[in-house]
């Protein structure tokens, strides 16, 4: 089976498992795991942030970001396609007591013209708008990335309006590969950043929240409160560190493979894709004459898995364990759709 449902389905490689076995570990609840301590420092420095906190999932690091930047009753702004709004089980309202206000951006991205006049909190009866949540690359937006100018604009707006920025960088590695924006630039833009090692980088588990020392100290308490304090977690940090050092470089190949497959979709009379949107490892494409579910079923019968992403939309996601031979099979199967 060629599994294009998500870039989260990778299997750990032998060399990654060996790196895990060699990790020097200790009890991280006591702050004594040297592998995780060094890894947190390394990633924080990479993004020009003071500190990092290794956590089990991107959901936890996003939610810790929201938690440390807000008070109950505050409002956070997010594009309607945002992961924090759609796929985190309502956690922002349950765990931080905040109101999530969605805005209709473009391909999952917000822009200053949409954000203008959204800030509230001037009167007792209004919620206090506190945080702008950005996602880069955008998952539900089809892997689209922010440009440096767009981010600078949003940051200038946030400073002017006294708003904070949380960046969901689950696929920041893909965004950096595609746009060549330096990691430390994101540290200048955002107050908190969540990055994931368990997507295209291929680690089995692990995300990290990056921020100031003060915010990370607070996040560490909430992580414990939410049951995420882990003991010899250096084992997992070693896998994530291995993934960062060895697999980041492979993402450009994923992007190339996605483009090749998207071209076949573009050429099909039965499928449609906007090639301009294709920047990273995610293809969002439409079915023209059939429901997405029916096309997904036909592909499944040919040994290819994708995910329906709406009535007429399908998502295909690439990662380093999808080979060029797999890509040829996928291209043939897609070219046969509708025949
Ligand atoms: C954009 C984005 N943010 C956050 C997450 C959450 O990550 P996790 O599944 O590790 O909780 C995902 C998961 O796919 C994602 O795509």
């Amino acid at each position: 089976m060629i599994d294009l449902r998500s870039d989260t389905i990778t299997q750990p490689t032998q060399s990654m498992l060996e790196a895990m076995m060699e990790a020097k570990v200790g009890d991280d609840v006591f702050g004594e795991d040297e592998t995780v301590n060094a890894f947190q420092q390394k990633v924080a420095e990479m993004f020009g942030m003071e500190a990092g906190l290794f956590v089990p999932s991107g959901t936890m690091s996003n939610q810790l970001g929201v938690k440390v930047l807000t008070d109950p009753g505050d409002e956070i702004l997010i594009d309607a396609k945002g992961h924090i709004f759609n796929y985190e089980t309502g956690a922002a309202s349950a765990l931080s007591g905040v109101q999530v206000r969605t805005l209709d951006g473009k391909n999952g991205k917000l822009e200053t013209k949409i954000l203008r006049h959204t800030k509230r909190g001037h009167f007792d009866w209004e919620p206090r708008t506190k945080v702008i949540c950005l996602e880069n690359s955008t998952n539900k937006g089809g892997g689209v990335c922010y440009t440096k100018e767009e981010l600078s604009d949003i940051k200038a707006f946030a400073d002017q309006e006294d708003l904070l920025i949380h960046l969901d960088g689950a696929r920041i590695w893909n965004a950096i590969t595609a746009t060549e924006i330096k990691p430390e630039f994101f540290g200048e833009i955002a107050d908190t950043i969540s990055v994931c090692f368990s997507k295209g980088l291929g680690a089995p588990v692990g995300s990290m929240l990056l921020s100031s020392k003060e915010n990370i100290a607070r996040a560490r308490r909430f992580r414990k409160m939410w049951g995420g304090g882990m003991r010899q977690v250096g084992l997992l940090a070693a896998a994530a560190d291995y993934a960062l050092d060895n697999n980041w470089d492979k993402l450009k190949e994923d992007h190339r493979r996605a483009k090749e497959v998207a071209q076949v979709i573009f050429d099909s009379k039965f499928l449609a894709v906007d090639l301009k949107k294709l920047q990273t490892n995610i293809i969002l494409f439409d079915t023209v004459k059939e429901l997405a579910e029916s096309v997904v079923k036909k592909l499944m019968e040919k040994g290819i898995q994708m995910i329906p992403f709406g009535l007429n939309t399908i998502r295909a996601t690439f990662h380093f364990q999808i080979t060029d031979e797999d890509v040829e099979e996928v291209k043939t199967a897609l070219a046969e759709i509708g025949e």
Side-chain angles (χ1 to χ4, degrees), residues 33-152:
D33 189 299
E34 57 183 277
T35 303
V36 83
N37 286 342
F39 187 48
Q40 287 171 167
Q41 194 59 35
K42 169 177 160 174
V43 183
E45 276 170 18
M46 182 186 279
F47 283 86
M49 287 291 205
E50 282 177 2
L53 187 69
F54 190 73
V55 296
S57 68
T59 300
M60 189 182 275
S61 47
N62 273 338
Q63 293 305 325
L64 285 171
V66 171
K67 184 75 180 173
V68 298
L69 298 182
T70 59
D71 292 306
D74 285 346
E75 177 174 79
I76 63 173
L77 303 174
I78 189 166
D79 183 273
K81 290 193 164 74
H83 196 278
I84 290 174
F85 173 64
N86 288 288
Y87 302 126
E88 299 191 6
T89 342
S93 48
L95 300 176
S96 297
V98 296
Q99 172 165 301
V100 182
R101 179 166 170 204
T102 58
L103 302 169
D104 288 322
K106 206 166 168 214
N107 303 321
K109 293 198 304 186
L110 292 174
E111 337 172 18
T112 31
K113 73 168 187 263
I114 299 162
L115 287 161
R116 212 158 279 139
H117 309 303
T118 50
K119 184 173 171 177
R120 302 193 279 187
H122 306 293
F123 304 103
D124 285 351
W125 51 88
E126 286 182 340
R128 212 174 258 146
T129 313
K130 196 65 91 50
V131 181
I132 301 170
C133 294
L134 304 176
E135 194 173 302
N136 197 29
S137 65
T138 64
N139 177 349
K140 213 171 156 62
V144 168
C145 308
Y146 281 92
T147 64
K148 211 168 174 182
E149 293 66 36
E150 289 167 339
L151 289 169
S152 298

